[in-house]
Amino acid sequence: MKPLPGVRLTLINPDPTAPYSGMLPGLIAGHYQQSDLEIDLVRLARFAGARLILGRATGIDREARLIHVEGRAPVFYDIASVDIGITTDMPDLEGFAEHATPAKPLADYVERWKTHIEQARSGAVAERVVVIGAGVAGVELALAGAHRLRQAGLKGQITLLEAGDAPLRDIGKGARAALLTQLQMQGVDLQTGVRVRRVTARGVELADGSVIDGGMVLGVAGALPQAWLQETGLTLTDGFIDVGPDLCALSDPRIYAVGDIAHLTHAPRPKAGVFAVREAPFLAANLRADLTGGERKAYHPQKDYLKLITTGHKRAVADKLGLRLEGDWLWRWKNQIDQKFMAQFRDLPDMNVAQAIPSEAAEGVQEILDGAPLCGGCAAKPGAQVLRDGLAHIPAPTRPDVILGVGDDAAQLRFGDQVQVISTDHLRPFTEDPYVLAEVAALHALSDVWAKGAAPQAVLAHVTLPRMRPRMHEHMLREIMTAAHHVVRAAGADLVGGHSSVGPELSVGFTVTGLVKTPVGLNGAQPGDALVLTKPLGVGTIFAAEMQGKANGRHVAAALAQMRQPVAKASGLLAPIAHAMTDVTGYGVIGHLDTILTASNVGAEIELALVPFAPGAVELAQQGVRSSLFDQNQKLLQGIGAPTRAEHALLVDPQTSGGLLAAVPADRIEQVLDALGDEAARIGWVTAQSGITLT
């Protein structure tokens, strides 16, 4: 809410959401939905003006100042802050990695718990859950699990194993007594002084040779740091980054560490979320101080803090001063605290500042500025009619080696006994991650070649970089070109050069050539052909919503994953048999279908119930979310009736790196769909009667 001019903030995280651990026991017990305790990082990053990189950090090159991220180019930093948490994995316990689940990372545990409930209900696995570790976290999760099993109508017991002679050693005697009473009342089988020899597919084997069967084994003992920190050269204590009162690493003034991964050398404390939360304002202040030449602040954690420990049902125990405090009112108090904390991330204030208009301005300026934000990707295109009218004056090709010029997405040139297909595309940013933007832009450009059934040959990049200092230009260009190289090489082509410039915003595009004996055209569709679509629709609406802070982060991540899937396999399957084919991009499936129908002089029937939509797209369309190209694209629906349902609007939703649309002989449709996979669908038929009808 207080951005610092001249600073680019980057957030790296494996998932589009971050779970709040304080509400985890309530989720396991069934009191909350998963969305209740997830911080939507996509929405938060958009609000904060940050770029979000969805990836897992795997290392830090401190000399080059690079964060290594799995599956992509490294990310440059001037200052880095590490808060990668811990794991309760038990790597030294035989069979743990194969058969057990650590309580942290939380996301993996939550998914495994859901699966266990479903499988236990169906009888696929034993109902019993074995929990290793009877500290506060182990006891709290055991009680939550016991409550959920009862609510699910399951009689499976929770067995809680503790290697020491006594559980709950780190809390006061009053809270300990209350929690031990709850374990007994709720039928949790607590066993102390037992050591697990190995974890098996059936449960656990103890050191004395006895076996405890269980459908799920949960590890809550210990707190392990990420192993790759050992390779950074940072000063560590038991694998945790040593920091001073300013939260800066003792061995590197450019790196901060907070939360569970940090070791407070001036005031060691147990691993608890309360310290991470209270470190936050000091971290923010010190980052700003480093960037502006100010002075850092010192963080001094309190020696003790109130612990509110839930007991499965809506009841909690308080640990403070050794007293025994418990009751429903403590759960309600904790729930109020947690809900207030999460509300900060759900109820983001409106930070949009209206663009000032001079008192004297041309008519229509206000309408343009008041319209929907200009979407990235294909939605930044002009309308179909604008394009047709703007290109209408260009004459037909005169060279004998130019087979097809204006009028198609790809030009076609004679190339010996083959045809060379040439196309170009570029995108303005719909994501702040230049690596992902370059991946999608390259695939988007290649899809024009694949839509002709051609094999990509050579690729030229054209990149406009935003204004920033030279070293940041260097690293942004490296990220873009690394992504482009990977995509192009995987397509069997070569990245051979291009052009770069500096402008007001990032823009990435590619010119692509490809070779084919006989291109698949637009003009061969025949009545009776099945219409096949290889990717779901709706990414234009999802990213329009993301720009407005309305999209679900998981849906955005799923859309990005879909856009990063090449259509090469689909092209290889469809091109040999398709009578006509195109890719679905800026004018939606109706707009691109219309190009096939017009060229082939046929019509089509679309079965709306068969059209696949990306997760979240229909819900957003029902809320009235539309891309900035929708108003012009919806004119394509005029001949088939006004759009009255959300699904109708999605038929003209602009797609970025969309799927292929092909007219396939009806007798080959089942074979084609089996080969293409689950995302592809038959959406209708080609008809002899002109026009498009919806059923």
Side-chain angles (χ1 to χ4, degrees):
M1 293 179 68
K2 293 175 64 179
L4 191 60
V7 173
R8 182 180 66 184
L9 178 63
T10 300
L11 176 62
I12 303 173
N13 197 68
D15 299 306
T17 62
Y20 169 48
S21 60
M23 295 171 72
L24 175 66
L27 173 65
I28 298 302
H31 303 316
Y32 301 123
Q33 299 295 319
Q34 187 169 347
S35 58
D36 293 333
L37 64 152
E38 287 186 327
I39 298 170
D40 191 324
L41 299 180
V42 173
R43 186 166 175 256
L44 185 63
R46 171 65 68 176
F47 171 77
R51 67 169 180 160
L52 174 62
I53 292 175
L54 295 176
R56 186 178 299 278
T58 58
I60 301 175
D61 183 340
R62 292 165 52 209
E63 184 176 350
R65 283 187 273 159
L66 296 174
I67 307 292
H68 291 284
V69 182
E70 192 173 55
R72 56 165 295 138
V75 179
F76 172 73
Y77 69 89
D78 286 301
I79 300 173
S81 175
V82 182
D83 183 14
I84 56 176
I86 58 174
T87 176
T88 56
D89 194 6
M90 305 174 74
D92 297 330
L93 179 58
E94 182 183 343
F96 188 92
E98 295 82 5
H99 305 298
T101 301
K104 288 189 176 183
L106 303 186
D108 296 340
Y109 168 33
V110 169
E111 288 304 313
R112 179 68 185 89
W113 177 245
K114 288 180 181 177
T115 302
H116 174 73
I117 295 294
E118 292 170 1
Q119 292 180 334
R121 276 175 164 167
S122 68
V125 299
E127 296 179 8
R128 182 194 298 268
V129 177
V130 180
V131 180
I132 304 174
V136 171
V139 168
E140 190 171 25
L141 291 175
L143 289 169
H147 178 78
R148 181 69 184 96
L149 289 176
R150 290 194 303 272
Q151 294 299 110
L154 301 171
K155 298 179 181 179
Q157 190 176 45
I158 302 286
T159 295
L160 180 60
L161 305 178
E162 171 59 39
D165 294 332
L168 299 166
R169 292 185 299 271
D170 299 328
I171 62 174
K173 61 180 182 180
R176 184 184 305 115
L179 290 170
L180 290 175
T181 299
Q182 285 294 324
L183 289 173
Q184 185 177 18
M185 289 176 59
Q186 298 193 45
V188 175
D189 175 27
L190 172 63
Q191 300 183 26
T192 59
V194 296
R195 294 191 176 276
V196 178
R197 176 183 295 167
R198 66 174 60 91
V199 182
T200 69
R202 287 183 51 197
V204 298
E205 180 183 323
L206 303 183
D208 62 6
S210 60
V211 174
I212 302 175
D213 290 338
M216 177 178 176
V217 177
L218 178 68
V220 197
L224 296 179
Q226 298 287 343
W228 61 259
L229 290 172
Q230 298 284 351
E231 302 171 6
T232 62
L234 293 167
T235 303
L236 309 174
T237 295
D238 298 326
F240 301 95
I241 301 173
D242 289 341
V243 301
D246 57 2
L247 303 176
C248 192
L250 297 184
S251 51
D252 193 328
R254 292 184 177 274
I255 293 180
Y256 287 82
V258 291
D260 288 347
I261 202 61
H263 173 65
L264 304 175
T265 58
H266 63 295
R269 292 291 186 271
K271 304 304 178 186
V274 64
F275 300 116
V277 171
R278 295 185 180 180
E279 285 164 353
F282 293 89
L283 173 65
N286 291 346
L287 290 172
R288 296 179 78 94
D290 284 1
L291 294 163
T292 60
E295 293 186 4
R296 295 175 179 172
K297 295 182 178 181
Y299 167 69
H300 297 287
Q302 71 270 36
K303 292 184 178 180
D304 192 18
Y305 62 97
L306 174 66
K307 303 182 187 74
L308 293 174
I309 307 160
T310 58
T311 59
H313 49 321
K314 293 184 177 181
R315 187 178 179 85
V317 171
D319 177 34
K320 188 71 173 178
L321 303 175
L323 301 175
R324 180 166 181 167
L325 299 170
E326 58 182 311
D328 299 350
W329 66 275
L330 282 171
W331 189 91
R332 290 193 296 271
W333 185 30
K334 182 182 187 304
N335 180 61
Q336 186 179 33
I337 293 171
D338 291 338
Q339 296 289 3
K340 182 178 180 182
F341 177 75
M342 289 301 295
Q344 298 176 97
F345 302 99
R346 283 194 297 265
D347 305 328
L348 298 173
D350 185 2
M351 300 295 287
N352 292 327
V353 179
Q355 196 165 347
I357 304 296
S359 57
E360 185 178 23
E363 292 182 358
V365 170
Q366 188 68 56
E367 287 85 346
I368 292 174
L369 294 179
D370 286 346
L374 185 61
C375 299
C378 295
K381 295 176 72 166
Q385 189 61 48
V386 170
L387 192 63
R388 281 194 291 267
D389 292 347
L391 299 178
H393 69 287
I394 299 179
T398 57
R399 291 182 56 91
D401 54 352
V402 177
I403 303 171
L404 184 64
V406 176
D408 203 322
D409 285 341
Q412 297 177 23
L413 311 178
R414 299 188 191 282
F415 193 85
D417 62 347
Q418 299 185 85
V419 173
Q420 186 177 55
V421 178
I422 302 177
S423 185
T424 188
D425 261 305
H426 76 275
L427 303 177
R428 60 185 300 270
F430 54 85
T431 172
E432 295 298 322
D433 183 347
Y435 188 93
V436 171
L437 178 65
E439 277 189 314
V440 174
L443 290 169
H444 183 73
L446 284 163
S447 71
D448 284 336
V449 171
W450 280 319
K452 297 300 175 190
Q457 178 191 25
V459 177
L460 291 166
H462 31 102
V463 179
T464 300
L465 297 170
R467 293 182 64 184
M468 54 179 61
R469 62 191 176 93
R471 183 158 187 180
M472 292 178 73
H473 269 158
E474 171 194 337
H475 285 282
M476 178 175 278
L477 188 59
R478 175 182 49 78
E479 289 186 57
I480 290 169
M481 297 309 290
T482 300
H485 170 76
H486 288 162
V487 169
V488 170
R489 183 56 59 87
D494 285 316
L495 186 61
V496 294
H499 177 74
S500 62
S501 60
V502 176
E505 70 170 359
L506 177 64
S507 175
V508 180
F510 298 91
T511 297
V512 183
T513 69
L515 295 174
V516 64
K517 282 283 187 179
T518 304
V520 182
L522 299 174
N523 60 352
Q526 302 173 17
D529 283 349
L531 292 171
V532 176
L533 178 65
T534 67
K535 284 188 182 182
L537 305 175
V539 298
T541 293
I542 289 171
F543 280 95
E546 193 275 326
M547 293 185 70
Q548 300 170 41
K550 296 178 180 179
N552 178 293
R554 291 192 181 279
H555 295 158
V556 173
L560 283 172
Q562 175 185 311
M563 293 157 72
R564 295 167 75 183
Q565 291 298 315
V567 294
K569 176 185 174 182
S571 173
L573 291 168
L574 292 169
I577 61 172
H579 291 149
M581 188 160 67
T582 186
D583 58 337
V584 179
T585 54
Y587 303 119
V589 71
I590 292 295
H592 292 282
L593 172 61
D594 185 62
T595 64
I596 289 178
L597 303 182
T598 301
S600 303
N601 195 28
V602 292
E605 177 184 299
I606 301 297
E607 297 181 53
L608 195 59
L610 300 180
V611 179
F613 298 107
V618 173
E619 292 86 346
L620 289 169
Q622 288 171 341
Q623 296 169 25
V625 176
R626 302 287 187 269
S627 77
S628 54
L629 192 57
F630 174 77
D631 286 344
Q632 296 190 63
N633 274 4
Q634 71 170 334
K635 297 173 184 176
L636 297 166
L637 292 172
Q638 288 178 350
I640 56 177
T644 57
R645 293 172 52 185
E647 292 86 348
H648 291 153
L650 293 173
L651 293 178
V652 291
D653 186 53
Q655 306 301 287
T656 303
S657 186
L660 297 178
L661 176 66
V664 176
D667 61 354
R668 305 292 295 273
I669 185 61
E670 296 302 327
Q671 172 192 349
V672 165
L673 291 179
D674 286 344
L676 287 174
D678 293 338
E679 286 198 331
R682 178 188 66 80
I683 64 170
W685 303 96
V686 176
T687 64
Q689 186 176 355
S690 63
I692 301 174
T693 59
L694 294 179
T695 60

